[in-house]
Amino acid sequence: MPSPKRSIHVVAGVITDVRGRILLNRRTENSDMAGLWEFPGGKREPGETSEQALVRELREELGIEAEVGAWLMDVPQVYPDKHLRLEVRHIRSWKGSPRGREGQAITWVTPDKLSRYSMPPADLPVVAALRHPDRYLVTPEPAGEHDHPHWLQRLGAALDAGVRRVHLRTPDSPARAALAEAAIRAHGNRAQWLLNRDIALAGRLGVGVHLSSEQLLQLDARPLPAGQLVGASCHDLTQLQAAQRLGCDFAVLGPVQATPSHPGATPLGWEAFEALRAQVSLPLYALGGLAPADIAESRRHGAQGIAAIRSLWPTV
């Protein structure tokens, strides 16, 4: 019988300079995952708080005295030899000049270039949380063509309220392309757009696509080039692994709680959501009965935020 995996709690810091660049550490040759870049920090020792551990680690690694700021997220991750929990905190300020005191390379990276750096699986969701929206609107389908003007008006109100990533669930009809084009034409670069299932139309419009769980298992390769987002709906580990293998930019996992849009689905609950999240490095949105007030809870379990219909769709 294999011995149980050890559990490790690591605390990492997001250190940002006056130019908005973020500091990364490179793992040394004598460490596991050597050569990969990561957010600096280290293991929390018995008796330490997260703040104490991070202050100590940054002093030892970088030679700075740091003031720990706001919590960003926790990322549970299963590795071959351990269960890791990566707790990520912003660094409010620091004294000293960061340098690699343990022989490691360090670099300052603008947020838009973070994805160019090879990182351990647990660090990848952190990049998504730093760079991408924490809420993902799934639009309801319009009641019919007569409802299109009101539907477009409500979409605009959702963007006014701060939504910046949208899954356009336009009806599967001849009017689909026209409505999608009208939405994108009206609101342009105010949001990142993903069309529901329609790879060909997404390619033609130069936007992203949101794949169904069935499509995931049928595709052999990423359906759109880099620069056009690919998202996916997932409900189990097989689908999550398929989404990761295809190179999806993110997935939606749920339902976490009971929701009218999936009346026959058994809710996962947060514990099962976290267990699935820990087995992939894919950025995830939690879906199912959630609202913006649940974003912090979702991030405690490794999500970058929430996906929702009702709580993100204006009623006026």
Side-chain angles (χ1 to χ4, degrees):
M1 183 177 178
S3 58
K5 294 181 180 181
R6 58 201 172 108
S7 295
I8 298 177
H9 189 135
V10 169
V11 190
V14 177
I15 303 173
T16 307
D17 70 4
V18 293
R19 295 167 57 185
R21 300 177 303 172
I22 295 171
L23 184 66
L24 296 181
N25 251 347
R26 195 171 196 179
R27 298 183 67 84
T28 57
E29 292 302 318
N30 60 356
S31 61
D32 60 341
M33 294 182 281
L36 297 184
W37 295 89
E38 64 183 0
F39 298 95
K43 186 170 69 171
R44 194 175 78 177
E45 301 293 348
E48 283 186 316
T49 65
S50 295
E51 291 84 355
Q52 290 168 339
L54 188 51
V55 168
R56 174 183 56 75
E57 287 285 349
L58 296 182
R59 181 186 303 126
E60 294 170 357
E61 286 187 5
L62 301 173
I64 62 174
E65 293 297 323
E67 182 181 357
V68 178
W71 169 85
L72 175 66
M73 71 185 303
D74 282 15
V75 182
Q77 193 73 48
V78 175
Y79 288 103
D81 61 336
K82 60 180 175 277
H83 289 279
L84 177 75
R85 187 167 204 89
L86 176 64
E87 180 184 348
V88 186
R89 306 287 294 268
H90 287 283
I91 299 303
R92 184 179 295 114
S93 64
W94 73 90
K95 296 179 181 178
S97 298
R99 63 190 189 281
R101 295 190 66 212
E102 298 175 344
Q104 80 277 24
I106 66 171
T107 189
W108 292 96
V109 183
T110 56
D112 63 307
K113 292 183 172 61
L114 284 172
S115 59
R116 299 183 184 181
Y117 289 76
S118 296
M119 293 184 173
D123 290 72
L124 298 177
V126 183
V127 173
L130 289 169
R131 291 194 58 213
H132 299 300
D134 60 8
R135 60 206 73 191
Y136 181 36
L137 167 63
V138 183
T139 64
E141 292 192 7
E145 290 192 38
H146 69 279
D147 187 40
H148 287 184
H150 189 213
W151 187 90
L152 288 167
Q153 180 185 4
R154 290 204 281 177
L155 176 60
L159 300 179
D160 291 341
V163 167
R164 291 295 176 263
R165 182 173 280 180
V166 180
H167 175 184
L168 285 171
R169 285 201 316 163
T170 51
D172 190 7
S173 72
R176 165 184 249 172
L179 183 58
E181 288 174 336
I184 296 165
R185 184 170 58 251
H187 302 294
N189 60 7
R190 294 184 68 196
Q192 300 168 343
W193 307 100
L194 293 93
L195 301 187
N196 188 49
R197 298 173 56 98
D198 197 329
I199 298 168
L201 181 58
R204 180 164 67 82
L205 296 179
V207 298
V209 68
H210 187 100
L211 303 173
S212 69
S213 54
E214 294 81 7
Q215 282 178 296
L216 278 177
L217 304 180
Q218 297 167 357
L219 291 168
D220 298 323
R222 180 185 170 95
L224 293 174
Q228 287 180 256
L229 290 173
V230 178
S233 292
C234 296
H235 310 287
D236 58 33
L237 182 58
T238 298
Q239 293 164 4
L240 286 172
Q241 290 171 333
Q244 184 162 284
R245 189 166 55 250
L246 283 177
C248 291
D249 297 288
F250 66 90
V252 171
L253 177 61
V256 175
Q257 299 176 357
T259 172
S261 59
H262 295 83
T266 302
L268 287 172
W270 284 117
E271 184 176 346
F273 177 95
E274 180 173 314
L276 289 168
R277 198 274 83 74
Q279 297 177 74
V280 294
S281 59
L282 196 64
L284 298 181
Y285 288 101
L287 172 75
L290 304 175
D294 297 301
I295 290 171
E297 182 68 18
S298 77
R299 288 191 166 186
R300 274 189 275 275
H301 301 281
Q304 77 178 69
I306 60 109
I309 302 174
R310 288 163 188 78
S311 67
L312 297 178
W313 187 247
T315 56
V316 294

